[in-house]
Amino acid sequence: QLQKSIPNPPLLFQVSSKMSSTSANAIFELLSRESKSDKSAKVTNAESNMAATVTTMVQNEPKVIGAVIRKLVEMVSTSITDQKQIAPAVTALNVLESLGNNCILLCEAHLCSSECFSAMLLAASHKQNKVREAAEAAVISIAQKISPNATREILPSLFKSSEVGNPWQTRALALKVIASLADHAPEQLGAALPEVVPQVTLSMSEPKREVSLAAYAAMTAACGVIGNKDIEHMTPKIVRSISNP
């Protein structure tokens, strides 16, 4: 009797998997329509509607999050190699930003992955202004929404993106995010100073003014989280000595 009253686990799993697959396919279909659109530089407010729709669908079916974010990263990466893919890239970046703003607890692990965060940072160097703006908005928004304890997850992507050889827009944005962590995650940034200081120092003598200024701001913010009031007033001098040893 007891055995008959227990639902068949494999069957339940199959139904759940089928529902997840259906939801993911529906989202992929929406995104695919956007990818096949003939829009180029002209981007309408359809992207924001798409972002809200996909976010709602993901909230209703959390199991599809991983697959959806992988698809979004693929759309962003495609636009970097084929820079005519403007509307799909903007849509994908808007969706990523929306996911970060509205369901960060569900999406944090995926949004903080090196594949996702690095792709968004690189998109900030796109030749089209709309893509650059969408990428910067997504990166900054997500960096401010994640748990302070997730700082360790995005630092490797920030370090790699700030390295010499990357587009200057990507480097400047990565350094800008590092600076912002001083307010959002001061304790976690302070614990990572042995890694942060040498990485940021590499960009402080960069000839590109936007990069060197971003590095200087990042170093100043990082030194500000030390928490030693006896040397707090010396922070500007410490930063100058690092940039000009």
Side-chain angles (χ1 to χ4, degrees):
Q1 293 289 336
L2 180 62
Q3 206 171 23
K4 290 181 180 179
S5 66
I6 300 176
N8 188 343
L11 180 59
L12 288 178
F13 178 76
Q14 290 170 15
V15 172
S16 177
S17 298
K18 186 175 181 181
M19 289 175 62
S20 297
S21 177
T22 302
S23 300
N25 289 336
I27 295 173
F28 292 163
E29 177 61 29
L30 284 174
L31 297 174
S32 178
R33 283 184 217 158
E34 187 63 31
S35 297
K36 293 176 182 177
S37 67
D38 58 1
K39 290 177 288 184
S40 55
K42 185 179 179 181
V43 181
T44 69
N45 64 354
E47 287 81 11
S48 60
N49 296 332
M50 176 76 73
T53 300
V54 173
T55 299
T56 300
M57 294 175 77
V58 166
Q59 288 173 317
N60 291 335
E61 190 60 58
K63 290 184 179 180
V64 305
I65 290 173
V68 170
I69 290 181
R70 283 193 295 273
K71 177 64 175 178
L72 295 170
V73 171
E74 178 186 319
M75 291 171 67
V76 174
S77 299
T78 298
S79 78
I80 295 169
T81 54
D82 179 5
Q83 302 225 343
K84 293 181 180 179
Q85 297 292 323
I86 301 165
V90 173
T91 296
L93 290 163
N94 284 346
V95 173
L96 289 168
E97 181 184 1
S98 179
L99 291 174
N101 285 334
N102 297 289
C103 47
I104 190 63
L105 292 179
L106 293 174
C107 302
E108 183 177 80
H110 299 285
L111 293 175
C112 291
S113 69
S114 60
E115 293 81 6
C116 182
F117 217 78
S118 296
M120 292 188 292
L121 285 163
L122 188 56
S125 65
H126 200 282
K127 70 178 182 180
Q128 290 293 334
N129 189 49
K130 288 186 179 294
V131 179
R132 293 198 302 272
E133 290 177 350
E136 182 168 353
V139 168
I140 291 175
S141 178
I142 291 169
Q144 291 299 304
K145 291 289 184 179
I146 62 173
S147 162
N149 291 325
T151 297
R152 279 283 184 184
E153 300 302 317
I154 64 172
L155 279 176
S157 297
L158 295 172
F159 293 156
K160 190 169 181 61
S161 295
S162 68
E163 290 178 353
V164 176
N166 287 310
W168 72 263
Q169 299 96 328
T170 294
R171 297 180 65 193
L173 179 57
L175 292 163
K176 184 176 180 179
V177 174
I178 292 174
S180 74
L181 294 175
D183 291 324
H184 180 62
E187 292 183 12
Q188 290 76 9
L189 185 63
L193 280 181
E195 302 162 60
V196 172
V197 171
Q199 287 288 340
V200 174
T201 300
L202 295 174
S203 298
M204 295 185 75
S205 57
E206 171 65 35
K208 189 69 176 178
R209 182 172 172 77
E210 289 85 349
V211 175
S212 58
L213 287 176
Y216 193 93
M219 185 66 76
T220 302
C223 290
V225 303
I226 295 174
N228 188 335
K229 293 189 176 182
D230 292 333
I231 64 170
E232 205 171 70
H233 65 284
M234 298 176 61
T235 297
K237 293 181 179 179
I238 295 172
V239 174
R240 279 199 299 272
S241 67
I242 293 173
S243 60
N244 298 292

